[in-house]
Amino acid sequence: MTNQSSTRIGEALIQEIDDTRVPFGMLAVWFLGQCSVVVKGGDVVIYIDPYLTPSPHRAFEPPLNPQQMTNAQYVLITHDHMDHLDPDTVSALAEAHSDPVYMAPGYCREDMLRLGVRPDKLISARTNEWWNGPGFRIKPLPSAHEELEYDDDLDHRFVGYVVELNGVTMYHAGDTTVYPGLIELLQAESIGLGMLPINGRDPFRNARDIVGNMNYREAAELSVAARFDTVIPLHYDMFAGNSEHPGYFIDYLYDRHPTQKSHVMARFERYVYVSAAALRE
């Protein structure tokens, strides 16, 4: 993809996000690859784990650059790995735009400040506590990538986010395995739209210092056990040595749990989630 064509794609994507309006009880979601998504409900735009640095190791080039993120109001970072906390993206965004508010685990704080994020724009992700924004709220939950890592001062190193926005409760897991207690935490939130990694883990990837996640079977079973209304798989499409076929996830659900709603997002697609409450109105 040339720089010129990438710029045009980014401009069109930002325009689409700006122009999109969904009624109460709905969320619009855009998939940027790996675990990167944009979520919009009402007039609130949230970027989660924006990974936008060009690299020969990527399966495809990013659809936009940080300078184009003129609509980024909130940026949620799940942990300190570079495909989630992307140093080039965060530093370029912080330099180009002063408005975004960032939330990240305490483990990420020094890195975020070093990359140019202002202290008054950086919120620590305190797990199991709600943070209230204007018309929405966010609760970080612990994630285990592949283990839970906790510090009394910094809280959990890896987190996912529950977001209540525009009448929808959404969960973005970040990177995690299924640890004891996660199902119960998610059941308590009545998740409408859940987003889970499916790339899995194994000793061979561990030997290459690739930390893993739940696999597609575990993600499918978690979505059912946690009673998600709809589930979207993530973290399968960016790196050749750490990928998965999302069709396996869909096939598994179809064979084992055919009533579980799911959606595999095309690159840079806009998907509109409609809650059951919205359908009843």
Side-chain angles (χ1 to χ4, degrees), residues 146-160:
E146 299 174 14
E147 299 177 350
L148 294 169
E149 294 189 32
Y150 177 81
D151 178 88
D152 286 340
D153 294 324
L154 302 177
D155 206 285
H156 280 271
R157 179 181 177 186
F158 311 112
V159 304

Side-chain angles (χ1 to χ4, degrees), residues 3 7-8 14 23 44 62 78 81 87 95 104-105 138 151 197 218 222 230-231 233 240 257 275:
N3 289 337
T7 298
R8 288 198 301 269
I14 292 297
V44 176
T78 62
H81 290 161
E95 181 178 1
I138 299 169
D151 178 88
E218 293 166 321
L222 177 62
T230 299
V231 59
H257 306 286
S275 69

Side-chain angles (χ1 to χ4, degrees), residues 169-187:
T169 301
M170 183 202 84
Y171 172 64
H172 185 293
D175 280 355
T176 192
T177 54
V178 183
Y179 61 86
L182 178 59
I183 292 172
E184 290 76 14
L185 284 175
L186 295 174
Q187 286 176 341

Side-chain angles (χ1 to χ4, degrees), residues 233-246:
L234 298 176
H235 207 303
Y236 56 80
D237 66 338
M238 189 63 70
F239 302 109
N242 192 24
S243 61
E244 186 55 276
H245 294 289

Side-chain angles (χ1 to χ4, degrees), residues 72-76 98-103 120-123 131:
Q73 298 171 345
Y74 300 91
V75 179
L76 309 184
S98 60
D99 291 337
V101 174
Y102 301 79
M103 179 177 285
D120 62 312
K121 292 288 187 176
L122 181 57
I123 301 165
W131 178 82

Side-chain angles (χ1 to χ4, degrees), residues 4-24:
Q4 189 174 14
S5 62
S6 177
T7 298
R8 288 198 301 269
I9 291 172
E11 290 173 349
L13 181 59
I14 292 297
Q15 190 64 57
E16 182 178 78
I17 296 170
D18 289 344
D19 291 345
T20 296
R21 296 288 186 274
V22 294
F24 189 80

